[in-house]
Amino acid sequence: MPDEDSKIDHYVLEYRRTNFEGPPRAKEDQPWMVVEGIKGTEYTLSGLKFDMKYMNFRVRACNKAVAGEFSEPVTLETRAFMFRLDASTCHQNLRVEELSVEWDATGGKVQDVK
C-alpha cells in the first residue's frame, strides 16, 4: 500500500483468464485486459463469467509523469455455487423436475389447510 503522502494519481489493473490452478505462469495464451484510471485502492471487476475458473491479476501505481512496476501477479478463482431445488419443499407454484423448474400460476400443489 502506498504511503499517505505519496504522489500516486491513479492505478492500472490488468487481468487475464487462465483456467488452471496454481501460481501464474509466465507464458500464457490469454492477453492481459486493462482497467485504467482507478482512483482508489479498491475496485470491483464486474462481468466475470463462471466458465473461466481461474484468473491472474496485477496492479501498478501511476502518477502524472511515470508508471511504477507491476505487482507480482495473483491468481484468484471465480467459483459458481451449485444447488438443487427440492420438489417437496419448494414454493407451491414451482413445478420442480430433475433439471427443470417451471412456474405454475395456478398453484399446482394441493396443500392441506388445518
Side-chain angles (χ1 to χ4, degrees):
M1 295 297 294
D3 296 328
E4 287 289 324
D5 61 343
S6 71
K7 303 287 187 207
I8 294 174
D9 179 62
H10 66 279
Y11 298 91
V12 174
L13 171 69
E14 291 190 350
Y15 65 96
R16 64 181 174 190
R17 300 166 187 200
T18 62
N19 272 345
F20 58 83
E21 292 185 47
R25 297 183 183 168
K27 289 195 170 194
E28 177 60 43
D29 294 335
Q30 297 292 324
W32 287 101
M33 306 302 290
V34 179
V35 180
E36 295 188 27
I38 299 171
K39 294 293 184 181
T41 56
E42 293 182 20
Y43 183 78
T44 301
L45 184 62
S46 60
L48 298 179
K49 296 182 181 178
F50 291 119
D51 61 344
M52 294 302 195
K53 189 173 182 183
Y54 296 96
M55 299 186 70
N56 292 342
F57 293 86
R58 65 185 184 183
V59 66
R60 70 175 163 185
C62 306
N63 63 25
K64 295 180 182 187
V66 68
E69 295 292 322
F70 274 105
S71 65
E72 288 295 319
V74 176
T75 301
L76 301 175
E77 180 179 358
T78 57
R79 292 188 177 182
F81 293 102
M82 302 296 285
F83 63 92
R84 293 186 182 269
L85 294 174
D86 180 15
S88 65
T89 59
C90 69
H91 188 275
Q92 70 180 12
N93 291 65
L94 286 179
R95 186 177 323 152
V96 178
E97 295 178 5
E98 278 192 37
L99 297 176
S100 68
V101 177
E102 291 182 22
W103 178 260
D104 181 1
T106 62
K109 295 182 184 176
V110 177
Q111 292 192 351
D112 295 331
V113 178
K114 294 182 181 182

